[in-house]
C-alpha cells in the first residue's frame, strides 16, 4: 500500500524513519511536519551515480539535482556534499543552490520564462549552462553576455513531440506544451546562435515530463535528440553536451518505475555514441521516497454513508492530491489490526482538500498520528498559506538523530507581510 520507503517502516508496532520514531518528531516539533531521511536521499543520489558510472566515465556526466522537487537548504547541502550539481528554474533557486555551496560551474538554469534580471544574475555567476527556451531568450542572453563581456554556454531545449504518458499537468514534451522549441525548427535556431557573440551553443536539452514509469518515451525522445545532434554537427555546431532532463518516476502506490541500470543502458544505446557530456536533472526520484508528511488526527466524523478521518495536514501543506489526483498512502504511526474505511481529509474549506477516498485503514481516533507517505518531492516546496495556515516545519533525520531544518511559520509572520494603508485605517 505504501510507496517503497526503505528507510521508513514499522519497528514492532511503531513507525520509524531510520532510527527515529516518528511520534517523537511529532511531539518535539508539532504537526503537520515534513520529515526527510538523509540516508535515503544519499542512497537515491548514489543509485544514479552508480548506474550512470556503469556505462560511462564519471567525468562524462553531471547529475544536476532538480531543486524544485525540494529546495530546503539542508537537503541541497546534503546533495552538494555527495557531489551533485543543481538544476534551477528561478533566481530564488539560484540563490539557494549557491548558498548550499553548489559551485556555479555545476548549475544548469532551465525555465520557460526567465526574466532579464534573473538571466543577468545567472550570467554574472558563470553557470555551467543556460537552457534556452525561445529565440528571443537566446538573443537576450547574448545581448546581456556581450555587455558583461562573457560568452555563455547554452543548450537549446527542444520539444521532441513525445508523449511521456504521465499526468497531463506534468507532461512537457508534446508539441502543444509551452516548453522548448519544436525540434524541427531547432537547426535554424542553432544557425542563428552561431552568429551571436555572447552565446556558445554547446548542448541540446530535452525534458518530456515527470513521473515517467516506463523507459519507452525517454528512449524515443533521446533518439530524436541524437538525430538532431548529428544534423547540428553537420551544419557546423560543435555540440558537446546533451541534457536529458528529469529522472525516472517513483512508487507512490503500485507503479513499477524502470530500473536505473536499464535506464543507463538505454542512455548508452541512444546517446553515448555521440561522445557528449551527459547531464541529467532528477528531482522526484532523489527526494520523493525519502520524505513523509506527519500529521495528527483532529477528528473522526461520521458522514452520510462514510467516515471522515480529519487530519491537521491539508491541501495547502501537500497539494499533489488536490492538484493532480495524486495518491499518497496514509500509514498510522502506531500499527493496529482493526480496519475501517475512511475518506482522509484536511481542515481546509474545500471538498478538494481530500487525501484519500474510501481507503481501508487501521481504525483511528483523535490525537493519533499518521504519515502521508512519499512526500519528499513536490511537497513542502508547493505548500501555501491558504486559510492562513502557516507552512509546516521540516525535519531531517539521520540515524538516531534528527534536526529541525525549517521552522514552522507563525501567523504573526504571515500577517507581517500585510499592510493596512492609511485610507483604510
Ligand atoms: N528538469 C526540468 C526541466 C523539469 O521541468 C523537471 C520537472 C525536472 C528536471 C525534474 O523532474 P523529476 O526528476 O522530478 O521528474 N509538481 C509536479 C511535478 C512537476 C515537475 C516539473 N518539472 C508533481 O508534484 O508531480
Amino acid at each position: 500500500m505504501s510507496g517503497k520507503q526503505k528507510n521508513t517502516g514499522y519497528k514492532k508496532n511503531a513507525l520509524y524513519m531510520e532510527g527515529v520514531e516518528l511520534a517523537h518528531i511529532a511531539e518535539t516539533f508539532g504537526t503537520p511536519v515534513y520529515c526527510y531521511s538523509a540516508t535515503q536521499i544519499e542512497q537515491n543520489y548514489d543509485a544514479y551515480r552508480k548506474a550512470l558510472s556503469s556505462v560511462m566515465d564519471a567525468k562524462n556526466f553531471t547529475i544536476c539535482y532538480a531543486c524544485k522537487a525540494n529546495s530546503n537548504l539542508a537537503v541541497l547541502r546534503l546533495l552538494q556534499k555527495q557531489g551533485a550539481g543543481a538544476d534551477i528554474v528561478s533566481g530564488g533557486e539560484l540563490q539557494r543552490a549557491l548558498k548550499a555551496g553548489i559551485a556555479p560551474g555545476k548549475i544548469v538554469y532551465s525555465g520557460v520564462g526567465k526574466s532579464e534580471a534573473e538571466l543577468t544574475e545567472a550570467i554574472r555567476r558563470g553557470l555551467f549552462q543556460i537552457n534556452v527556451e525561445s529565440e528571443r531568450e537566446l538573443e537576450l542572453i547574448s545581448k546581456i553576455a556581450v555587455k558583461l563581456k562573457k560568452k555563455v554556454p547554452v543548450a537549446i531545449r527542444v520539444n521532441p513531440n513525445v508523449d511521456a504518458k504521465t499526468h497531463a499537468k506534468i507532461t512537457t514534451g508534446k508539441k502543444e506544451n509551452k516548453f522548448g522549441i519544436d525540434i524541427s525548427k531547432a537547426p535554424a535556431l542553432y544557425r542563428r546562435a552561431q552568429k551571436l557573440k555572447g552565446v556558445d551553443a554547446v548542448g541540446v536539452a530535452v525534458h518530456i515530463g515527470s513521473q515517467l514509469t516506463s523507459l519507452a518515451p525517454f528512449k524515443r525522445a533521446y533518439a530524436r535528440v541524437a538525430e538532431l545532434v548529428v544534423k547540428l554537427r553537420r551544419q557546423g555546431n560543435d555540440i558537446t553536451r546533451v541534457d536529458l532532463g528529469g529522472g525516472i518516476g517513483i512508487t507512490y502506490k503500485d507503479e513499477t518505475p524502470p530500473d536505473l541500470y536499464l535506464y543507463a543502458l538505454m542512455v548508452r544505446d541512444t546517446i553515448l555514441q555521440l561522445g557528449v557530456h551527459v547531464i541529467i536533472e532528477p528531482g522526484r526520484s532523489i527526494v520523493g521516497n525519502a520524505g513523509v508528511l506527519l500529521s495528527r488526527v483532529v477528528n473522526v466524523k461520521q458522514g452520510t454513508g462514510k467516515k471522515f478521518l480529519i487530519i491537521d495536514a491539508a491541501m495547502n501543506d501537500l497539494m499533489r492530491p488536490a492538484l493532480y489526483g495524486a495518491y499518497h498512502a496514509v500509514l498510522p504511526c502506531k500499527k493496529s489490526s482493526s480496519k475501517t474505511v475512511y475518506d482522509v481529509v484536511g481542515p481546509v474549506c474545500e471538498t478538494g482538500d481530500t487525501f484519500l477516498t474510501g481507503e481501508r485503514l487501521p481504525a483511528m481516533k483523535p490525537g493519533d498520528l499518521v504519515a502521508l507517505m512519499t512526500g519528499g518531492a513536490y511537497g513542502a516546496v508547493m505548500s501555501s498559506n491558504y486559510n492562513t495556515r502557516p507552512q509546516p516545519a521540516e525535519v531531517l533525520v539521520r540515524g538516531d538523530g534528527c534536526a529541525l531544518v525549517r521552522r514552522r511559520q507563525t501567523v504573526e509572520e504571515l500577517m507581517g507581510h500585510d499592510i493596512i494603508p492609511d485610507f483604510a485605517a
Side-chain angles (χ1 to χ4, degrees), residues 31-297:
T31 54
V33 57
Y34 275 99
C35 314
Y36 312 122
S37 156
T39 306
Q40 185 71 61
I41 293 173
E42 288 167 354
Q43 287 171 350
N44 291 341
Y45 176 82
D46 211 43
Y48 271 96
R49 199 187 51 71
K50 283 198 182 116
L52 292 174
S53 299
S54 73
V55 297
M56 66 185 120
D57 200 282
K59 68 175 189 313
N60 292 334
F61 66 86
T62 309
I63 303 169
C64 291
Y65 166 65
C67 298
K68 65 168 81 67
N70 184 328
S71 56
N72 186 289
L73 287 176
V75 169
L76 296 183
R77 175 57 69 94
L78 264 189
L79 288 163
Q80 182 268 342
K81 287 210 294 208
Q82 299 298 299
D87 166 54
I88 57 154
V89 290
S90 70
E93 284 189 355
L94 173 58
Q95 286 189 41
R96 279 184 180 270
L98 293 172
K99 185 144 194 166
I102 298 174
K106 279 191 158 186
I107 299 177
V108 169
Y109 189 3
S110 308
V112 78
K114 309 172 194 82
S115 73
E116 187 162 348
E118 287 175 316
L119 285 170
T120 305
E121 181 60 12
I123 293 168
R124 231 184 230 127
R125 296 283 185 169
L127 303 190
F128 182 59
Q129 172 175 309
I130 300 183
N131 290 350
V132 176
E133 291 265 353
S134 69
E135 180 164 3
R136 186 187 167 271
E137 187 177 82
L138 182 71
E139 287 171 355
L140 181 60
I141 292 170
S142 181
K143 198 180 90 188
I144 301 168
V146 167
K147 216 188 285 168
L148 297 174
K149 299 198 171 46
K150 301 230 183 200
K151 191 144 182 127
V152 180
V154 298
I156 291 174
R157 173 169 176 184
V158 295
N159 184 327
N161 193 24
V162 168
D163 187 350
K165 301 257 181 324
T166 181
H167 193 283
K169 287 191 182 167
I170 51 177
T171 291
T172 57
K174 283 168 75 181
K175 65 177 184 317
E176 61 269 31
N177 300 139
K178 69 181 173 185
F179 299 96
I181 290 184
D182 187 328
I183 196 160
S184 63
K185 301 201 174 110
L189 198 54
Y190 278 89
R191 274 198 296 276
R192 176 88 191 97
Q194 288 169 335
K195 300 203 178 75
L196 295 171
K197 294 217 159 41
V199 294
D200 195 2
V202 291
V204 176
V206 71
H207 172 73
I208 56 171
S210 191
Q211 184 54 10
L212 274 71
T213 49
S214 141
L215 285 183
F218 281 123
K219 190 172 177 182
R220 235 171 282 137
Y222 296 174
R224 284 184 197 169
V225 165
E227 261 171 47
L228 175 67
V229 171
V230 172
K231 209 182 275 178
L232 294 176
R233 283 177 172 168
R234 258 191 244 128
Q235 69 173 32
N237 287 99
D238 186 16
I239 303 297
T240 56
R241 304 176 186 172
V242 167
D243 181 339
L244 301 174
I248 60 172
I250 62 173
T251 306
Y252 286 97
K253 192 177 188 182
D254 47 18
E255 307 90 332
T256 15
D259 181 273
L260 269 179
Y261 281 92
L262 294 180
Y263 172 85
L265 286 177
M266 184 272 292
V267 171
R268 181 195 67 187
D269 295 344
T270 50
I271 298 290
L272 293 193
Q273 77 280 5
L274 299 168
V276 286
H277 187 89
V278 170
I279 299 154
I280 176 163
E281 307 164 347
R284 189 192 306 272
S285 45
I286 301 286
V287 289
N289 71 350
V292 304
L293 174 59
L294 197 54
S295 176
R296 206 176 275 283
V297 176

